[in-house]
Amino acid sequence: MIKGLRIKLVAASMISLTLVLAVIMGTVNLLNYREILDQADATLAILQENNGTFPKREEPHEPGKPGQMPLSPELPYESRYFSVVLSSDGAIVSVDTGKIAAVDTETAAQFAQTVYQSGRTQGMLGDYRYVRHTQGEEIQVIFLDCGRSLATFRTFLLASCGISLLGLLAVFGLILLLSKRIIRPVSESYEKQKRFITDAGHEIKTPVTIIDADAAVLEMDLGENEWLRDIQQQTKRLATLTNDLILLSRMQEDRSQLAMIQLPFSDLVQETAQGFQTLAKTQGKTLVLQIQPMLSLCGDEKMLRQLVSILLDNAVKYALPQGDITLTLQKQARTICLAVENPAENLSPEHLQRLFDRFYRGDPSRSSQTGGYGLGLSIAQAIVQAHRGKISAAAQSEGMLRIQVQLPIGG
């Protein structure tokens, strides 16, 4: 439990930090890219207004026109651009590549044809930002080289991603070192709780045994009576509860104590289930077994028998009268699936979520009649987890409760 809590703490911290960094870096780089496009569009607007060339300095722009920007004296010399004029049917009329050395006439014509066929009036083609506009019956496409700006953008993008990754790794190392100290109070409290349950259970065992023995002696002297019988029943219940709590605590303390051996699981389930056939029949219920033969796995025989007994005991106790209980055992890929179904009441999602909680009982009145404590499925869950398996509860159609266990074949 503590190890899982530590893993969840580290995972939650790293996921949160990753999301925050992703949003920050994504926003910064998106704004950077948007700025490059805005500057390119402003430059193209000037070129478009002047038929593919920059105006002379003595001809300043009239303020207020959309897309215009203050014309820097160096802008015409810093910009690399070319333009192509096409007829209305897409034929090349003229090509101007005088302001760029990286693109020849043939390449410029191909670029213009690509833009013409796309039908778009503005966009990116490689590292070139273009704008398309109509001049009478002709179409002019102006291309602006954004290669240097995009190269700077890509360098910044890679650098920011690299720095963010290094930051994540550094934070991961720090959280990994500090997480143990962070959860130490929880770990100590949990260990004290388990130790208290174990110690208190052993201390309770002695007086319970003495009370039960004294009641037996009194019964021999006084004969049977309802008071002594009630004392014996309650001491028996208390002893059972104490043993269950100690078992649950021990399993969570040290799972290495399990005697893991290769065993015939099909035979184990068959033998354990046979003992519940008569019990179900006396209560007017039917227990149906669907067990795939010759299935084996590596596990603790005693614990696995107890697991099957808990599931069947729970089903027989709480199944609706005259209901059919079905136990299914089959192989699924690299796991063995053990499932028990029985008709039940109160199959709400809230009930199913709490079904494996200690001392939880969906219907306390019925549980008091059947002698349940709400620990059976908690113990079953601990046994399954000790075998590195999974256990779940789900509501099937027609009011059927299905408890399913998946155990790895290798244990």
Side-chain angles (χ1 to χ4, degrees):
M1 175 182 174
I2 300 301
K3 183 179 179 181
L5 181 63
R6 186 182 179 189
I7 293 174
K8 289 179 181 179
L9 174 63
V10 174
S13 301
M14 294 305 300
I15 290 173
S16 301
L17 181 60
T18 302
L19 290 176
V20 171
L21 281 177
V23 171
I24 293 175
M25 300 312 302
T27 302
V28 170
N29 284 282
L30 183 62
L31 291 175
N32 191 10
Y33 184 72
R34 186 69 257 176
E35 179 66 19
I36 293 173
L37 295 185
D38 289 343
Q39 291 180 359
D41 290 340
T43 303
L44 286 171
I46 296 174
L47 292 171
Q48 178 181 343
E49 182 183 338
N50 295 275
N51 297 322
T53 61
F54 281 102
K56 296 181 180 179
R57 291 186 59 188
E58 60 268 23
E59 298 175 357
H61 289 292
E62 296 180 5
K65 291 186 178 182
Q68 288 184 346
M69 68 178 184
L71 181 58
S72 168
E74 302 299 328
L75 184 62
Y77 305 99
E78 295 173 346
S79 302
R80 297 291 177 263
Y81 59 93
F82 63 95
S83 62
V84 180
V85 178
L86 303 93
S87 63
S88 58
D89 59 357
I92 303 296
V93 176
S94 64
V95 178
D96 182 6
T97 58
K99 296 298 182 180
I100 190 167
V103 178
D104 56 23
T105 301
E106 183 179 353
T107 304
Q110 292 176 355
F111 279 19
Q113 289 286 353
T114 302
V115 172
Y116 177 81
Q117 293 172 5
S118 69
R120 301 180 62 184
T121 59
Q122 190 179 44
M124 291 292 298
L125 188 61
D127 287 344
Y128 297 95
R129 183 73 170 171
Y130 67 84
V131 63
R132 166 182 167 175
H133 68 104
T134 304
Q135 293 180 325
E137 295 183 356
E138 295 179 332
I139 299 171
Q140 184 181 40
V141 185
I142 305 172
F143 295 87
L144 179 66
D145 184 7
C146 302
R148 286 180 295 177
S149 299
L150 291 175
T152 303
F153 165 75
R154 295 185 185 108
T155 301
F156 179 78
L157 177 63
L158 290 175
S160 61
C161 291
I163 293 172
S164 298
L165 182 59
L166 290 175
L168 283 174
L169 292 175
V171 172
F172 175 73
L174 289 173
I175 293 178
L176 203 61
L177 291 174
L178 297 176
S179 60
K180 189 173 183 179
R181 178 174 297 181
I182 293 172
I183 66 171
R184 183 177 298 166
V186 179
S187 176
E188 292 176 353
S189 176
Y190 184 67
E191 291 300 323
K192 289 178 182 178
Q193 176 187 350
K194 292 192 299 182
R195 197 178 306 116
F196 170 78
I197 292 175
T198 304
D199 295 343
H202 286 295
E203 293 298 325
I204 292 173
K205 271 187 172 182
T206 302
V208 168
T209 304
I210 294 173
I211 292 172
D212 186 56
D214 290 346
V217 172
L218 287 174
E219 185 179 13
M220 288 188 293
D221 291 342
L222 305 176
E224 292 187 5
N225 63 71
E226 58 179 315
W227 309 112
L228 290 175
R229 187 162 53 250
D230 185 57
I231 291 174
Q232 289 174 328
Q233 289 176 350
Q234 297 306 318
T235 53
K236 184 178 180 180
R237 291 190 63 192
L238 185 57
T240 302
L241 175 60
T242 303
N243 291 331
D244 287 346
L245 286 172
I246 294 174
L247 172 64
L248 194 55
S249 180
R250 280 180 175 173
M251 291 190 63
Q252 293 176 339
E253 282 180 0
D254 188 7
R255 296 176 183 176
S256 62
Q257 295 179 354
L258 297 180
M260 306 292 280
I261 60 172
Q262 196 72 24
L263 52 88
F265 194 49
S266 295
D267 296 341
L268 183 149
V269 174
Q270 182 75 36
E271 293 171 4
T272 307
Q274 289 294 339
F276 288 88
Q277 293 275 14
T278 304
L279 178 62
K281 189 174 182 180
T282 56
Q283 298 183 18
K285 304 167 186 177
T286 304
L287 176 57
V288 180
L289 304 180
Q290 300 176 354
I291 300 175
Q292 181 178 340
M294 306 298 292
L295 296 181
S296 62
L297 55 74
C298 183
D300 186 295
E301 180 178 358
K302 181 180 178 181
M303 291 293 100
L304 291 176
R305 285 187 183 275
Q306 186 169 3
L307 169 65
V308 178
S309 297
I310 290 172
L311 297 182
L312 288 175
D313 181 67
N314 188 76
V316 173
K317 279 183 179 178
Y318 300 110
L320 296 178
Q322 310 302 320
D324 289 340
I325 303 166
T326 304
L327 181 145
T328 305
L329 181 69
Q330 58 185 351
K331 183 179 179 181
Q332 293 181 350
R334 298 184 61 82
T335 64
I336 291 179
C337 178
L338 171 66
V340 177
E341 293 185 12
N342 63 274
E345 298 175 336
N346 189 13
L347 296 180
S348 63
E350 295 80 7
H351 171 64
L352 295 177
Q353 289 177 358
R354 300 190 58 193
L355 208 55
F356 298 99
D357 293 350
R358 295 184 187 182
F359 300 107
Y360 175 74
R361 295 181 294 187
D363 188 348
S365 61
R366 286 198 65 198
S367 296
S368 61
Q369 295 171 3
T370 55
Y373 302 102
L375 284 177
L377 290 180
S378 298
I379 295 174
Q381 184 183 50
I383 294 173
V384 173
Q385 291 176 347
H387 286 79
R388 299 182 179 86
K390 297 179 181 179
I391 185 170
S392 60
Q396 302 293 102
S397 59
E398 299 180 358
M400 297 292 289
L401 172 64
R402 178 183 176 89
I403 306 293
Q404 179 171 296
V405 174
Q406 289 181 302
L407 297 170
I409 296 178

